[in-house]
Amino acid sequence: MAVKMSEASSVNVRSFGVIKGFNFFIYGAIAIYSSFFPLYLKAIGMSNFMIGLLLAGGPFISLLSNPFWGYWSDRLQNGRRILILLLVGNGLVMQAVFAVHSTYFIYGLMLIYFFFQTPLFSQSNSLILDVVERTGHKFGSFRLWGALGWAIMAVVTGPILEWLGIGEFWIVYGLMIGISIVLGCMLPRQVPTVSAKKISAGGYGKILGNKLFLSLIIIGILISIPNSMNNIFVSIYISDMGGSNALIGWSAFLSSIFEIPVYLLLDRYLRRNNKTMIACLIVVSLLYALRWLLMSMAVTPYQIIFTQTLHCLTFAGYYYVGTQLTAYLIPQQFRASGQAVYALSWGGLAGIIAGIIGGWMFQDLGAPTMYRICTLMALLGAAGFATMYMYAFKSTTHHHT
């Protein structure tokens, strides 16, 4: 009996190590993509507006892909298989993108790419939450490896691309996806919590009928539009001010490396109840407003890089608390679908608006004006979460009375 328990324990240790490594490489791959792919597009002749329009396709496709893959993950109760399919499709299609230079072909292929790329984070989050269920481990201790991968790979890739040239971007990205696929095949299986028949029979009204969760989605879109604009255009903003690829890599590094202590602190101190988590989102929204105001005032690439360090408190706080609040509000058997719907708030509708409107604002109004508008949106988001907090407080008071 003791031998069996020891073997099970070692398997768990190995499984947790694989999850950490998997997070490191998939977040590292997407960090490389988000930091340098806009520069690749600019190098092959695309305008800022066309780049924004192209990257808006990802959030548009995510409106279909996130619910689609979330449904099948819940239905099959096999998040590992879904993640492997997503990564294989991701790698194959992106290599085809690098092989062509026609704008029409790139647009068409990128729409297919986004079908596989946009659900990666929500599905990996769902797998982590399921695997660590009923263990002593916390979500943040695994998610911080994603932040580490994002930070390290972004800063390492900058000098590599300075040496290789942006035209060889396909080598670095392909290598990262290849390693992610290998680790994906080693991920642990999820333990089924409910029959597939019960999942397919319905019950998604419990997701869409939850007023607090719907409020999180709607207000989250408002908060996430500026964040998506910044993700798309910050590397071009730095480049336009004379910053090198290496500086762009350092920007991504500094914006992510400090997420690690934030995740650890939230693991330790965040109270898992709706009022506390909504209060945290109010604070995060106000910090977003400060971040965008500082970005609008930047006059050198170094000021942009310094301001990017606020990412650890803004995006990391919103992402972590929102993921936990979603898990708190949505029934466990619909967790993958709930996380997929939550992902739409920061990667779906918000990204579509950011790509189209942000591209126009960045090109015609200028970056400072775009970031001032982002500041106002963050303040509106803070007001929205404050209203949501009052509703939650009244509901709790009414329930206790």
Side-chain angles (χ1 to χ4, degrees):
M1 179 69 71
V3 173
K4 288 183 178 180
M5 290 179 65
S6 176
E7 288 176 354
S9 176
S10 66
V11 169
N12 285 336
V13 170
R14 287 198 300 270
S15 297
F16 292 149
V18 170
I19 293 173
K20 291 173 182 178
F22 179 77
N23 259 8
F24 181 94
F25 282 99
I26 64 166
Y27 278 85
I30 303 304
I32 293 170
Y33 159 79
S34 63
S35 297
F36 298 103
F37 190 60
L39 296 180
Y40 170 81
L41 295 175
K42 195 165 186 178
I44 62 175
M46 282 195 185
S47 68
N48 291 337
F49 176 74
M50 293 298 289
I51 292 170
L53 192 62
L54 172 63
L55 298 184
F60 179 79
I61 294 298
S62 76
L63 297 178
L64 168 66
S65 62
N66 269 292
F68 175 85
W69 292 108
Y71 167 79
W72 281 107
S73 183
D74 284 334
R75 177 73 184 273
L76 299 175
Q77 299 280 286
N78 193 332
R80 180 178 69 176
R81 182 183 300 173
I82 297 299
L83 283 167
I84 293 170
L85 287 172
L86 292 173
L87 286 167
V88 171
N90 179 311
L92 292 176
V93 177
M94 183 53 89
Q95 292 306 310
V97 170
F98 290 125
V100 301
H101 290 88
S102 165
T103 300
Y104 297 108
F105 280 117
I106 290 175
Y107 267 70
L109 288 168
M110 286 301 293
L111 292 178
I112 301 172
Y113 166 78
F114 292 136
F115 184 74
F116 294 103
Q117 184 261 329
T118 52
L120 274 174
F121 291 163
S122 63
Q123 292 308 305
S124 64
N125 287 344
S126 177
L127 183 139
I128 292 170
L129 289 166
D130 283 340
V131 170
V132 303
E133 192 90 40
R134 295 177 296 276
T135 73
H137 294 79
K138 298 289 184 67
F139 174 76
S141 64
F142 292 92
R143 176 58 181 82
L144 67 82
W145 284 87
L148 190 64
W150 190 289
I152 291 176
M153 295 315 303
V155 77
V156 167
T157 302
I160 291 175
L161 289 179
E162 290 279 359
W163 174 59
L164 289 176
I166 196 70
E168 306 302 318
F169 182 39
W170 65 274
I171 299 174
V172 183
Y173 186 79
L175 180 63
M176 292 294 292
I177 293 295
I179 296 173
S180 299
I181 292 171
V182 172
L183 290 171
C185 294
M186 301 165 62
L187 287 170
R189 290 183 178 273
Q190 293 165 258
V191 178
T193 56
V194 67
S195 69
K197 183 178 180 181
K198 186 174 180 181
I199 292 293
S200 62
Y204 289 92
K206 293 181 180 180
I207 297 176
L208 300 178
N210 188 309
K211 292 181 180 179
L212 282 178
F213 182 65
L214 277 182
S215 298
L216 170 66
I217 298 304
I218 294 169
I219 302 168
I221 291 170
L222 187 64
I223 288 293
S224 298
I225 289 171
N227 190 73
S228 296
M229 288 182 183
N230 182 70
N231 288 343
I232 294 171
F233 296 108
V234 67
S235 59
I236 298 176
Y237 193 23
I238 293 171
S239 181
D240 288 347
M241 285 192 180
S244 64
N245 287 347
L247 276 181
I248 292 167
W250 278 107
S251 171
F253 175 84
L254 292 173
S255 70
S256 300
I257 193 66
F258 297 115
E259 288 183 26
I260 294 171
V262 172
Y263 289 134
L264 291 175
L265 288 171
L266 287 171
D267 265 350
R268 186 176 181 87
Y269 296 111
L270 180 68
R271 296 175 61 186
R272 268 68 172 178
N273 62 73
N274 55 16
K275 288 194 298 181
T276 300
M277 289 190 278
I278 295 169
C280 288
L281 293 176
I282 297 172
V283 175
V284 166
S285 301
L286 293 173
L287 289 172
Y288 258 131
L290 174 63
R291 179 183 175 186
W292 306 139
L293 180 63
L294 292 175
M295 288 291 281
S296 74
M297 299 165 63
V299 293
T300 71
Y302 296 98
Q303 289 174 326
I304 297 173
I305 293 170
F306 175 77
T307 304
Q308 282 287 89
T309 58
L310 283 173
H311 180 89
C312 70
L313 297 174
T314 51
F315 178 75
Y318 175 75
Y319 184 92
Y320 182 100
V321 175
T323 298
Q324 295 292 335
L325 185 56
T326 297
Y328 178 85
L329 294 172
I330 300 301
Q332 196 271 344
Q333 65 266 34
F334 300 106
R335 178 170 286 160
S337 295
Q339 293 297 336
V341 173
Y342 170 61
L344 294 180
S345 72
W346 51 264
L349 292 171
I352 295 171
I353 298 169
I356 297 173
I357 306 300
W360 167 73
M361 285 196 292
F362 189 88
Q363 183 164 296
D364 293 346
L365 302 181
T369 299
M370 182 186 80
Y371 281 111
R372 283 193 288 269
I373 294 171
C374 290
T375 304
L376 293 175
M377 294 177 69
L379 291 173
L380 287 174
F385 282 126
T387 303
M388 185 176 166
Y389 178 87
M390 288 187 287
Y391 173 82
F393 181 80
K394 289 179 181 179
S395 298
T396 304
T397 303
H398 178 74
H399 175 75
H400 287 302
T401 57

